[in-house]
Amino acid sequence: MDLDTILHRVEASDIRIVSIVGSGISKASGMPTFRGKDGLWNNYRATDLATPYAFKNDPRLVWEWYRARMRILLDAKPNPAHNALTLLEKEKLSIGIITQNVDGLHEIAGSKEIVEMHGRIRYARCPSCNHYERWDSKEKAEKNSDLPYCPNCSNQIIRPDVVWFGEPLANERWNKAVEWTLNANIVLVIGTSGVVVPVSSLPVFAKERNAIVIEFNIEETPISSISDLSIFGPCEKTLPEFAEKIIKYSRGSND
Ligand code: BJW
């Protein structure tokens, strides 16, 4: 089915979009993805470092990886795909963005309704006393060999405020993500391999509620088979095109 036919399945005056986002959206901002050749850092697989086990076993290595990512992030800017989602919100076509990304680029792009399912890399916390601090400074990102101990209780090494494999997602984030998904009539699945639970189950919930699922990726994923349409290509190009089209449709013009 093509996009025009799909769009006509929703009333132009009743568009409720939810976007489920992964690391592919930030690729054009310079941020590496997790899987595939991009997911390699100094010969370690990114997915092997994003675990409580890796942190317990070698916190210095894991902090080195987070610091390396922070150095890239400090220079990163939102790209046209982030901006397209902000535009959909401004046009009141979007309920919200459910992002697996920890980079904070949606907020910088000006989006307001965001749930950061896997936390925020720009903050760190103490697992012992729950001290919380910002981590997105050049000074902190550059001290590669230092292990950051908690400045409050000194007991523990602080950790990035993110969700690693095997850790639960915060209830309030999950509940909001489910609520938004069930309220949407169009769900965009953008730049994610769709293999990490529980977020990967959200497009399935949407489908069960008869929402239209549109995937934006450079290649096929497990989400492709449940999508009404997969738009293959870099989302920094395809998403702004989609946004332009749906905004026109919502205003009653299809030119
Ligand atoms: C483009 C593009 C362009 C590129 N345009 N597209 C066994 C043991 C322990 C746990 C489990 C287990 N079996 C299952 C689990 C559960 C686990 C899980 O899902 N594992 C699977 C991988 C097997 N999930 C969890 O543990 C979650 N918690 C949980 O379920 O709690 C309950 C529970 C507990 C214990 C046991 C079982 C259940 C937590 C998941 C947390 C994930 N955390 C990370 C790290 C975050 C912090 C950080 O950033 O450092 O989140 S891992 C990593 O994967 C990161 C991402 O958010 C997440 C998803 O990856 P994403 O975004 O999809 O990236 P990629 O690289 O995979 O894909 C990029 C895509 O972009 C590709 O498709 C490209 O083609 C595309 N692309 N350029 C468009 N320009």
Side-chain angles (χ1 to χ4, degrees):
M1 219 184 290
D2 67 14
L3 183 55
D4 288 315
T5 315
I6 285 176
L7 287 185
H8 281 87
R9 279 171 43 196
V10 294
E11 292 281 341
S13 59
D14 182 32
I15 294 172
R16 287 167 275 130
I17 298 174
V18 161
S19 303
I20 299 170
V21 180
S23 61
I25 199 172
S26 296
K27 180 89 186 290
S29 299
M31 301 305 296
T33 58
F34 284 86
R35 292 168 184 80
K37 67 173 169 39
D38 249 25
L40 270 188
W41 172 77
N42 286 359
N43 290 328
Y44 295 94
R45 275 192 302 214
T47 44
D48 290 342
L49 295 166
T51 71
Y53 172 78
F55 190 64
K56 190 160 184 279
N57 198 36
D58 194 346
R60 205 176 290 277
L61 174 73
V62 173
W63 263 118
E64 257 183 55
W65 177 52
Y66 276 94
R67 282 177 158 130
R69 288 169 66 196
M70 183 57 73
R71 289 194 290 270
I72 303 173
L73 181 56
L74 287 172
D75 290 328
K77 294 191 176 47
N79 67 58
H82 297 100
N83 296 338
L85 295 187
T86 304
L87 182 61
L88 291 177
E89 183 177 279
K90 286 194 175 133
E91 292 285 326
K92 303 203 178 337
L93 301 178
S94 167
I95 299 177
I97 299 170
I98 299 167
T99 186
Q100 298 170 89
N101 300 344
V102 297
D103 56 29
L105 290 177
H106 292 294
E107 194 180 335
I108 296 174
S111 291
K112 303 275 183 260
E113 296 296 329
I114 310 161
V115 197
E116 294 171 303
M117 303 303 288
H118 294 162
R120 305 195 288 175
I121 199 175
R122 294 170 190 269
Y123 293 81
R125 64 181 161 85
C126 173
S128 175
C129 73
N130 275 333
H131 163 81
Y132 197 69
E133 67 181 56
R134 283 204 85 110
W135 194 258
D136 51 349
S137 73
K138 265 213 156 71
E139 193 205 343
K140 287 180 181 176
E142 270 160 15
K143 280 190 191 158
N144 236 353
S145 55
D146 270 18
L147 266 181
Y149 277 87
C150 176
N152 184 44
C153 71
S154 319
N155 267 345
Q156 291 258 3
I157 303 163
I158 57 173
R159 55 162 285 177
D161 188 30
V162 298
V163 183
W164 285 323
F165 284 123
E167 295 184 321
L169 276 64
N171 270 338
E172 61 277 15
R173 289 180 186 154
W174 176 245
N175 291 342
K176 190 160 217 179
V178 172
E179 183 198 317
W180 281 357
T181 303
L182 298 182
N183 275 328
N185 55 10
I186 301 181
V187 168
L188 312 181
V189 186
I190 305 159
T192 178
S193 56
V195 295
V196 174
V197 294
V199 173
S200 58
S201 57
L202 293 171
V204 181
F205 296 170
K207 196 72 208 154
E208 284 167 359
R209 295 283 282 235
N210 278 331
I212 295 166
V213 176
I214 306 177
E215 177 186 47
F216 296 79
N217 205 304
I218 50 172
E219 61 187 25
E220 225 173 279
T221 75
I223 307 292
S224 309
S225 62
I226 62 145
S227 297
D228 295 271
L229 178 67
S230 290
I231 299 181
F232 293 117
C235 62
E236 58 276 16
K237 180 170 181 293
T238 57
L239 204 51
E241 287 167 1
F242 168 82
E244 192 185 335
K245 187 156 221 162
I246 198 161
I247 288 167
K248 273 188 184 158
Y249 177 64
S250 74
R251 291 175 178 167
S253 152
N254 277 319
D255 312 334

